[in-house]
Structures are given as C-alpha cells and as structure tokens.
Amino acid sequence: FALTIEPKKLAGIRSIRMKSLKMSPKSAYSNLGAIREEVNWCTKLYRTHPQWTVLDSTDTGIEENCAIILKHLDSIGVGGRVSASDNPSAI
C-alpha cells in the first residue's frame, strides 16, 4: 500500500505540527512548493509499482485507511491475528 494526500492539506498539517514543535516558520517542511515536489515524486514512484494500492488520505482518517488495509490483508489470507475484537473501530 502507498499513501497520498493533497499538497495543501499536507501543508496545513505540517504547519500545525511545526507550531507545536516550535520549529522555525522559515523551514521548508511546510512549504507548499516543496510539498508539491514530494507528492509528485511519490506519484511517479507509485506509477512504477502498479501492484501497489494507493490510498488517498486527504479526507480520510487513519482508522478508515487501516480498515481498508486490514480488509485487503484478510481477503488474501494475511490477516493473521487481526480481528474485529482486536480493534473494533478499525473494521
């Protein structure tokens, strides 16, 4: 699996994280141009691996993406010990 996100959303998340970690506002970490480059690089990488399922995390929480991954792993018999009783919110 691979994750992607809209650059503007990631910039907002990183900006909040920078403030909470007291990082310099001049850091490229939340720079929209730099983030666009990162996302584009990832998109190109994902295209070279068409067997990867790409999940867009722009408007979904970690719980929803985890549920998708767990369902897929279960469907191919890799689910192992993960069950609804382990974490009901992820199913």
Side-chain angles (χ1 to χ4, degrees):
F1 286 90
L3 296 174
T4 191
I5 189 169
E6 289 293 322
K8 286 183 181 180
K9 176 81 171 205
L10 183 54
I13 292 168
R14 287 185 175 184
S15 179
I16 291 167
R17 185 177 295 143
M18 286 176 61
K19 288 175 186 172
S20 71
L21 295 174
K22 297 184 172 119
M23 294 173 64
S24 168
K26 295 180 181 181
S27 169
Y29 182 68
S30 68
N31 176 278
L32 186 57
I35 291 172
R36 283 190 176 122
E37 287 181 26
E38 288 178 42
V39 172
N40 288 336
W41 183 89
C42 291
T43 301
K44 288 176 186 174
L45 175 66
Y46 300 162
R47 285 186 189 134
T48 66
H49 297 278
Q51 71 277 18
W52 294 354
T53 300
V54 179
L55 301 176
D56 187 340
S57 62
T58 301
D59 295 315
T60 56
I62 191 167
E63 296 86 357
E64 289 121 329
N65 287 318
C66 286
I68 292 168
I69 293 168
L70 290 173
K71 281 184 180 183
H72 176 73
L73 292 176
D74 190 48
S75 74
I76 63 172
V78 184
R81 62 183 179 80
V82 177
S83 70
S85 64
D86 290 334
N87 187 356
S89 67
I91 302 299

